[in-house]
Amino acid sequence: MSGIRRVITPDLRPSLIDRHLPGTAQVRRLLRKEGRAHVFNDRETLARVAQAIIEQGERTGEVDETDDYERYGLYFSEAIGYIIKADGSRTPLYYGEIKIVKASGEYHAIPRTGPRRTS
């Protein structure tokens, strides 16, 4: 079965959303601190990816029983975002993930290179 079959709500904290949108203060901070950031093309792409994962995403599972999150993901045929590096270079991303806090059901979307490894 694909898609998320329970009630979840978006986590609307700007700190979670803005860290995945180009040109934000959070992305500039990540570039300074970590040298790279995973960003969606724009806010509309973030919303479209989240909806597609809710409807069609595959559960990627928890890393272990102590993991506080559920993860669902989906590959897209067109780039949904990119990894931007401090030097300005970009690598396109085709995989989106929704990370759901188990306790609250709140989620946020993340552009990634692929599913999180579980080993």
Side-chain angles (χ1 to χ4, degrees), residues 27-79:
V27 168
R28 288 189 295 274
R29 184 175 148 267
L30 282 170
L31 289 172
R32 280 192 312 273
K33 186 175 180 180
E34 299 178 16
R36 68 184 191 149
H38 291 68
V39 297
F40 286 101
N41 292 330
D42 51 40
R43 188 175 296 273
E44 292 76 23
T45 302
L46 184 157
R48 181 178 54 81
V49 166
Q51 188 60 42
I53 295 170
I54 289 168
E55 294 172 2
Q56 306 167 28
E58 295 293 328
R59 186 167 185 189
T60 59
E62 296 94 17
V63 173
D64 61 42
E65 62 275 358
T66 63
D67 194 0
D68 295 331
Y69 304 97
E70 292 178 55
R71 292 175 175 80
Y72 291 79
L74 187 64
Y75 280 100
F76 294 83
S77 59
E78 295 182 14

